[in-house]
Amino acid sequence: MAPHSRYVADRGLTTRMVTTMFFIGLLYVVLVGVLVAALGNAWPLVLVIAGGLFVAQFWFSDKIAAFSMGAREVTPQQAPELHGAVDRLCALADMPKPRVAIADSDVPNAFATGRNQRNAMVCATTGLMRRLERDELEGVLSHELSHVAHRDVAVMTIASFLGVLAGILTRVALWGGIGRNAGRDNNGVGLLVLIIPLVSAVVYVISFLLTRLLSRYRELSADRAGALLTGRPSTLASALTKISGDMSRIPTRDLRKAEPYNAFFFVPAFSGESLATLFSSHPPLERRLEQLRRISTQLGQ
């Protein structure tokens, strides 16, 4: 739900977030349990690393995301147009103003991050601000602010973390506990070398699919909530069309740098047609535009 704001609540999104977190938590327990059982006396190390990484990711997710994407916080004097748009939308939505940042990138995009409204940050790239008109920019920012209001940014951050954790813990297991036991039980070590990467791979695949399913729905939910707040779905549709069309003109190297963060972006960055489009974190452009057309018709009535 979206308390303390005028963004329309989405029970479907809430249900999906709760379901995703339940299964992600179950996978987390299974992964740690398998490693604890496999490593014997090394289990305290696994628990400490797993717990420490989880806490660090949750509490510092906004800073990690900002650093990874090259975002820098800006003042109203440095970016008056961007701050003005965020001010207007926050007043309209009756929600606290997040920190505002700019990423120096020609890839036209925007994202929101933060574990709650008090720690939230909204960022736009220089490429986005250069290409969009003021009302189009407000449409994109309204979309991003709805992620903050619906609290799905925190859920996506936690859900995405499990795949990273699976890889880290597997490396620790293979380099640490298994290595120390190598001289004592070669048969057991061989079995662990097979089981631990297999479990890790299964956990990664399931968590990947869960986050992709949630991500596609949350983008549609953010489009809907953002358009209803501003009352101008056509401006968001215009921004979507313009940004998606311009992606083909962006250098491939820049798109490849942005692709790891697609789940958090307004529009995914793809370096041409690839297998990645089959597992996109966003619904197809046609579906997003069709939803906005329906909203425009409803508001017109």
Side-chain angles (χ1 to χ4, degrees), residues 62-183:
D62 55 337
K63 295 179 176 62
I64 294 172
F67 176 79
S68 300
M69 301 179 200
R72 56 181 176 85
E73 193 171 349
V74 291
T75 65
Q77 292 73 31
Q78 293 171 319
E81 181 180 358
L82 185 59
H83 269 274
V86 174
D87 284 333
R88 287 189 293 274
L89 291 169
C90 288
L92 186 61
D94 190 24
M95 64 181 289
K97 181 182 178 181
R99 290 173 294 142
V100 178
I102 291 178
D104 188 13
S105 171
D106 192 46
V107 179
N109 238 316
F111 67 90
T113 186
R115 63 183 184 275
N116 54 44
Q117 292 189 14
R118 293 191 302 275
N119 300 96
M121 181 183 73
V122 174
C123 177
T125 66
T126 52
L128 181 81
M129 297 176 62
R130 185 169 60 252
R131 287 172 172 85
L132 298 187
E133 302 295 333
R134 190 184 74 171
D135 55 350
E136 294 172 334
L137 179 61
E138 286 192 4
V140 173
L141 293 174
S142 181
H143 168 107
E144 295 302 330
L145 287 172
S146 75
H147 285 314
V148 176
H150 287 150
R151 299 179 179 178
D152 57 80
V153 174
V155 174
M156 280 299 296
T157 300
I158 296 172
S160 301
F161 172 63
L162 183 62
V164 177
L165 181 63
I168 294 174
L169 290 183
T170 299
R171 290 186 183 93
V172 171
L174 292 173
W175 295 344
I178 292 178
R180 288 194 294 272
N181 293 327

Side-chain angles (χ1 to χ4, degrees), residues 191-210:
L191 185 62
L192 291 180
V193 170
L194 293 175
I195 291 177
I196 291 180
L198 179 62
V199 171
S200 177
V202 171
V203 168
Y204 174 80
V205 169
I206 296 176
S207 63
F208 176 86
L209 294 176
L210 285 172

